[in-house]
Amino acid sequence: MREYRCLSLFADSVPTIFLLVLKAERPTQEDMKTVEKIENLLGDQLLQHTWILFTRGDDLERERLSVEEFIQGSNYLKQVVQRFNNKYHIFNNKISNPDQVWKLLDKIDTSLLMMGEIMKMTLTLKDNPPTWNLFLLGKSGAGISSSANTLLGHTDFTSKSGFRSVTLETQKKNIVMRDVSINLFDTPGLSNTVIRDEEVIREYRCLSLFADSVPTVFLLVLKAERPTQEDLRIVQEIENLLGDQLLQHTWILFTRGDDLERENLTIEQFIDDTVELKRVVQRFRRRFHVFNNKIYNPDQVRRLIEKTLMCY
Ligand SMILES: Nc1nc2c(ncn2[C@@H]2O[C@H](COP(=O)(O)OP(=O)(O)OP(=O)(O)O)[C@@H](O)[C@H]2O)c(=O)[nH]1
Ligand SMILES: [Mg+2]
């Protein structure tokens, strides 16, 4: 469910069709529960872009049943198909038959979809600014949500101190800044006290899938403190996950600029005095920025946006 939720976050920025795959068999209680969960997750709007794709067309062929007859034979399926506005198709995955694919695409009516998209793109270019994705990730408690709030200019993402991790699933908010529309993603951090690292990594992987469809910047959030072994391990883990290509669009965002200010240190001095950080920052070709999340200072936000968008 975590991954499905994550995928659905992108449905408004990239043209998207969901295919809900069901066996062409009498549905079990478990199938019904799954369908219900997916309907709830997608909600009315995304359901308009969702098709039921029945598989095992070969079984129906053997029984000389059309998919329509199969659906008519079950009150439950009749109701489901109605809820999906009769949007369904059947595949026989046991044979290679491009015709069944073309038929599905015809049904989805790609031409209409494309027309809609072209119209939307023309409108977007004329009336709306281009869209960017900005993903904030890192270690739980590093200040991921606070930094997202600093970027927003107000407190929308929940952020607080304490032993328990606060952000447990990715949240998205949109801001328009310097003629650019930015989708900000606040994510659960690694070393989380509630969810396992593997789940967080899976969520990051899902987010990174969309990095090639919309210009994307990753912000790896780190406290401006001497890093622990755990901090360094997490940085390395994120580097491995993103890979060389996405790392070129990744910036280290230090938090706790207020602590540095109190000690009269610039972020450059702090990095150069901290051997481990100096190495990390070198690997990122010195792509970094610092936030003081305790004050309202649009200038620090403007500078980050200028740096990251300029280097894209
Ligand atoms: N002094 C100071 N505190 C900060 C700064 N940024 C974040 N914090 C504090 O650090 C604590 C954790 O911040 P969050 O933004 O909730 O951290 P997170 O990484 O989102 O953590 P989880 O959602 O719990 O995984 C909060 O008490 C913040 O107020 C900063 O720049 N300066
Ligand atoms: Mg958080």
Side-chain angles (χ1 to χ4, degrees), residues 140-146 159-161 165-167 256 258 293-294:
S140 176
I144 303 172
S145 306
S146 308
S159 148
K160 55 182 173 203
S161 63
S165 296
V166 177
T167 311
R256 307 204 168 230
D258 44 328
N293 289 320
K294 287 290 173 191

Side-chain angles (χ1 to χ4, degrees), residues 52-309:
I52 300 177
L53 179 61
F54 291 105
T55 59
R56 308 200 172 217
D58 44 326
D59 287 352
L60 294 191
E61 282 162 31
R62 254 193 309 277
E63 292 172 38
R64 297 183 187 278
L65 269 182
S66 69
V67 64
E68 286 73 23
E69 287 164 335
F70 165 72
I71 294 167
Q72 288 307 312
S74 150
N75 275 337
Y76 169 75
L77 282 180
K78 270 198 291 196
Q79 284 168 11
V80 171
V81 164
Q82 245 170 26
R83 289 206 297 276
F84 282 74
N85 273 332
N86 271 316
K87 296 194 301 297
Y88 64 86
H89 189 62
I90 184 141
F91 269 179
N92 169 356
N93 290 321
K94 289 290 173 192
I95 50 162
S96 154
N97 172 6
D99 208 41
Q100 57 184 352
V101 179
W102 286 113
K103 277 193 184 138
L104 172 66
L105 294 179
D106 273 354
K107 282 188 189 172
I108 291 177
D109 204 348
T110 37
S111 56
L112 239 180
L113 194 78
M114 265 153 48
M115 287 273 288
E117 283 315 314
I118 291 166
M119 277 167 59
K120 228 165 63 187
M121 271 160 63
T122 329
L123 286 173
T124 304
L125 289 177
K126 260 201 342 224
D127 304 328
N128 296 316
T131 301
W132 285 68
N133 283 337
L134 206 55
F135 296 120
L136 294 102
L137 37 83
K139 182 180 171 187
S140 176
I144 303 172
S145 306
S146 308
S147 301
N149 285 331
T150 296
L151 279 156
L152 271 180
H154 50 262
T155 309
D156 257 17
F157 298 111
T158 314
S159 148
K160 55 182 173 203
S161 63
F163 292 112
R164 194 175 188 274
S165 296
V166 177
T167 311
L168 302 181
E169 49 183 34
T170 302
Q171 305 285 337
K172 180 175 86 166
K173 301 270 174 214
N174 181 267
I175 44 167
V176 177
M177 204 183 282
R178 316 209 92 217
D179 295 334
V180 176
S181 159
I182 300 173
N183 285 329
L184 273 181
F185 293 82
D186 176 25
T187 66
L190 283 159
S191 253
N192 207 287
T193 62
V194 183
I195 40 181
R196 287 180 301 129
D197 270 6
E198 297 88 87
E199 277 185 74
V200 177
I201 288 284
R202 227 184 295 150
E203 185 125 345
Y204 288 174
R205 197 164 281 138
C206 174
L207 296 173
S208 66
L209 289 178
F210 291 86
D212 57 358
S213 42
V214 178
T216 297
V217 169
F218 292 89
L219 297 175
L220 199 174
V221 182
L222 266 185
K223 284 185 194 169
E225 283 177 3
R226 177 175 290 279
T228 61
Q229 285 304 316
E230 175 77 347
D231 295 334
L232 295 173
R233 181 190 66 74
I234 285 173
V235 171
Q236 188 64 63
E237 191 151 2
I238 291 176
E239 284 180 68
N240 295 345
L241 173 83
L242 295 180
D244 289 346
Q245 211 192 334
L246 297 183
L247 276 178
Q248 290 171 22
H249 304 297
T250 307
W251 289 68
I252 299 178
L253 178 60
F254 290 102
T255 57
R256 307 204 168 230
D258 44 328
D259 289 351
L260 296 182
E261 282 160 30
R262 255 193 309 278
E263 292 172 39
N264 264 331
L265 273 177
T266 64
I267 184 69
E268 287 80 8
Q269 285 166 335
F270 176 71
I271 292 168
D272 290 336
D273 287 350
T274 317
V275 184
E276 303 90 332
L277 273 188
K278 201 171 165 183
R279 277 200 213 114
V280 169
V281 164
Q282 263 163 6
R283 293 208 297 275
F284 283 77
R285 297 186 187 273
R286 294 190 76 82
R287 286 187 303 275
F288 64 85
H289 188 68
V290 66
F291 268 180
N292 169 357
N293 289 320
K294 287 290 173 191
I295 52 161
Y296 176 72
N297 172 5
D299 210 41
Q300 59 181 352
V301 174
R302 181 185 54 77
R303 276 185 281 120
L304 174 74
I305 296 299
E306 278 176 3
K307 277 193 212 174
T308 51
L309 301 203

